[in-house]
Structures are given as structure tokens and as C-alpha cells.
């Protein structure tokens, strides 16, 4: 009887299902992170919303459905909920995470306190980019373990509280790679080019839609090598590293957005640090 009792105890101690690869990779439920929510095994893909925005859903390991939820930096630790169409709300826990500070000196004071003319330009460009982040296509992402878009060390991490010439501005919304001007930038996953621009802060910029609200933004480019509407394969050439816009030197700034929330790109390349 003892072996049977021992086996029963082990089974009771195990979770109802083993975590799949996607959950192990992406489930980093902190402000600015990602929560993976188990949706069970319905016959069709559940429709899920978080804070009123549609959420990416995929089948994990060909079995259960999961929701992959982007968590805003502004969310406080505690319980959050997603809405599942035709079902009850499902909760998930958000933990705490500390983000460091970054102090940067900018020679061009207009890039710290823009005048009225530049503010109008910034507002117009922000609205254009916001519309791109809000797109939600039906395509499934080709991969969720992303390739690094450039070969280079990580420099400024996501979420830094940033001070330009001593004045606090929005937290760092992406991940920076140190790379020389002209370094090729590759698509971390297949995607469609949904926006191209040359912006006041971001400089030369490309938005790629990977599917279901999962969007990459690459900025400060020296050259853009794609056109609006292009379908770019995984590893396809997007452009080249530069220092356009508000940049103190050549580097790639890469944003990843989920359900119109900027999240830590390091999660998707297996480089997340708690």
C-alpha cells in the first residue's frame, strides 16, 4: 500500500497540467510584463479582452488555449482580470518589479522642451503611432520565441525611469541594443509593415504587425529597407541601425506591444530579469 499512497501524494502535489513552452517563456506577470492565462480547451479560440482591448490567444502544445496579456507599467501589484466572451472573468496575479533610473544629457534642448510648432508635430505623430499600436489582425504569430533583431549587446533595458537634462519623462518603453551605424536589423518574427515614418523623437521608424495585437516597433534607423504593406519573413531585413530622432548615438530601440500595451521585449528573447 505504501507505494500506492506515495504515488497518490505525488499526483496530488502536481499541477492540473504541466506548463507548456510558451507559458514558461512568456509568463512574467509584473508591471510592464506578460501574463499567460489558461483558458481551458474549448473547440474554438476564445475571444478575450483586457482593459477593453482584444488579447492574443493561441493553443499551447496543441492542447489548451491560453491568453497572452500585456500588463501596463502603471498597473499596481495585485489581482487583474480578463474578460472571456461567453464565460466568466478570469483572474491573474501581478507581482512587483523595481525599475532603475536613467539620466541622459541631450544637446538639442528642443528634444527636451519642444516649442509650440514641434509640439503640434509630436502630437500628430503620436496619434499616428497610437493607431498602429491599436491594430488587431487575425493572423497568428509565426513564433513567440523571438529572434534578436540585431547582433549586439543589450544596453538600456525596458522600464527605466528616464530623466533628460534633469527633467523626468516617460519610462523607457523598449529595449536598446548597442550596435554600429549600418548594422542590419532583422524581423524577430514574420510580420506585415503597417507604418513607416520619420518622427521627431523616434527618427526613422518601422512598425511590424506579427498578428493579434503583437507588434514590433524599430526606431532611430539610418535606413528603412521596407515599404508599407510588405510581408516580411522571420529574419527578413527591415532596415539599418542609426541615430535619427532623439538619440545620443547609434543604437536600435525595439518596442514590443501586446493589446496596445508596451511590454518588456527581453521576455520574448529569453533575457528577462526579475
Amino acid at each position: 500500500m505504501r507505494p500506492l499512497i506515495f504515488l497518490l501524494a505525488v499526483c496530488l502535489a502536481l499541477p492540473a497540467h504541466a506548463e507548456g513552452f510558451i507559458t514558461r517563456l512568456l509568463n512574467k506577470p509584473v508591471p510592464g510584463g506578460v501574463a499567460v492565462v489558461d483558458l481551458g480547451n474549448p473547440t474554438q479560440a476564445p475571444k478575450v479582452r483586457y482593459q477593453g482591448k482584444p488579447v492574443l490567444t493561441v493553443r499551447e502544445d496543441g492542447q489548451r488555449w491560453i491568453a497572452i496579456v500585456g500588463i501596463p507599467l502603471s498597473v499596481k501589484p495585485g489581482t487583474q482580470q480578463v474578460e472571456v466572451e461567453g464565460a466568466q472573468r478570469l483572474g491573474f496575479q501581478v507581482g512587483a518589479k523595481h525599475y532603475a533610473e536613467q539620466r541622459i544629457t541631450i544637446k538639442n534642448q528642443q528634444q527636451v522642451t519642444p516649442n509650440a510648432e514641434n509640439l503640434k508635430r509630436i502630437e500628430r505623430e503620436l496619434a499616428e503611432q497610437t493607431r498602429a499600436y491599436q491594430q488587431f489582425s487575425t493572423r497568428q504569430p509565426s513564433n513567440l520565441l523571438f529572434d534578436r533583431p540585431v547582433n549586439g549587446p543589450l544596453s538600456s533595458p525596458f522600464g527605466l525611469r528616464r530623466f533628460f537634462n534633469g527633467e523626468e519623462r516617460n519610462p523607457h518603453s523598449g529595449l536598446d541594443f548597442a550596435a554600429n551605424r549600418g548594422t542590419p536589423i532583422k524581423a524577430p518574427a514574420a510580420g506585415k509593415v503597417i507604418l513607416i515614418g520619420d518622427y521627431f523623437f523616434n527618427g526613422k521608424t518601422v512598425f511590424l504587425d506579427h498578428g493579434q495585437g503583437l507588434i514590433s516597433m524599430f526606431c532611430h534607423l539610418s535606413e528603412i529597407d521596407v515599404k508599407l504593406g510588405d510581408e516580411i519573413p522571420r529574419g527578413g531585413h527591415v532596415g539599418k541601425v542609426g541615430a535619427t530622432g532623439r538619440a545620443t548615438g547609434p543604437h536600435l530601440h525595439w518596442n514590443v506591444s501586446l493589446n496596445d500595451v508596451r511590454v518588456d521585449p527581453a521576455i520574448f528573447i529569453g533575457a528577462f530579469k526579475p
Side-chain angles (χ1 to χ4, degrees):
M1 289 293 292
R2 285 184 178 178
L4 181 58
I5 293 171
F6 174 77
L7 180 60
L8 179 61
V10 170
C11 290
L12 290 173
L14 290 172
H17 57 78
E19 284 189 346
F21 171 76
I22 297 173
T23 298
R24 293 194 301 272
L25 173 70
L26 299 183
N27 192 41
K28 315 296 181 190
V30 296
V34 174
V36 177
V37 181
D38 187 350
L39 302 174
N41 192 24
T43 55
Q44 295 183 335
K47 293 183 179 180
V48 180
R49 300 182 78 84
Y50 173 61
Q51 296 187 341
K53 303 289 181 65
V55 169
L56 168 62
T57 59
V58 299
R59 266 200 191 277
E60 183 167 43
D61 298 335
Q63 298 176 11
R64 63 196 176 107
W65 289 96
I66 54 175
I68 301 173
V69 186
I71 306 169
L73 269 170
S74 59
V75 164
K76 304 299 183 185
T79 302
Q80 293 286 303
Q81 291 184 327
V82 296
E83 300 174 9
V84 184
E85 187 176 74
Q88 63 184 10
R89 293 170 178 257
L90 297 176
F92 62 91
Q93 291 298 312
V94 176
K97 180 171 170 58
H98 171 73
Y99 291 100
E101 294 183 0
Q102 182 184 45
R103 296 182 180 271
I104 301 171
T105 300
I106 300 289
K107 293 181 180 179
N108 183 355
Q109 188 62 29
Q110 278 298 306
Q111 293 181 333
V112 181
T113 52
N115 59 28
E117 182 180 353
N118 282 329
L119 281 173
K120 288 182 180 179
R121 175 186 170 185
I122 292 164
E123 289 173 4
R124 183 176 65 252
E125 293 175 350
L126 177 61
E128 186 173 272
Q129 293 174 81
T130 297
R131 288 192 295 271
Y133 280 126
Q134 291 174 343
Q135 292 193 31
F136 190 87
S137 62
T138 58
R139 68 192 295 159
Q140 280 281 340
S142 65
N143 50 289
L144 291 168
L145 174 57
F146 280 178
D147 300 328
R148 295 190 177 214
V150 296
N151 295 320
L154 305 182
S155 49
S156 296
F158 172 87
L160 288 171
R161 289 182 59 204
R162 297 185 305 172
F163 295 80
F164 291 95
N165 297 0
E167 299 182 30
E168 186 167 12
R169 293 295 185 262
N170 291 331
H172 194 225
S173 61
L175 181 63
D176 287 354
F177 290 80
N180 294 327
R181 187 187 307 270
T183 301
I185 300 167
K186 300 173 291 185
K192 180 179 180 179
V193 180
I194 57 172
L195 183 63
I196 291 172
D198 191 350
Y199 299 122
F200 184 84
F201 285 130
N202 289 355
K204 293 182 179 179
T205 300
V206 175
F207 279 70
L208 273 188
D209 174 16
H210 303 298
Q212 292 195 62
L214 178 57
I215 292 170
S216 281
M217 185 275 279
F218 314 90
C219 67
H220 304 312
L221 279 59
S222 60
E223 295 180 30
I224 294 173
D225 297 322
V226 294
K227 302 185 300 296
L228 192 65
D230 281 354
E231 291 284 350
I232 310 301
R234 179 181 183 177
H237 194 199
V238 173
K240 298 180 179 67
V241 170
T244 55
R246 184 169 67 184
T248 56
H251 70 283
L252 172 65
H253 174 100
W254 174 38
N255 273 15
V256 172
S257 187
L258 269 172
N259 47 269
D260 192 23
V261 170
R262 262 50 81 203
V263 297
D264 189 350
I267 294 169
F268 290 82
I269 58 174
F272 175 78
K273 294 182 179 180

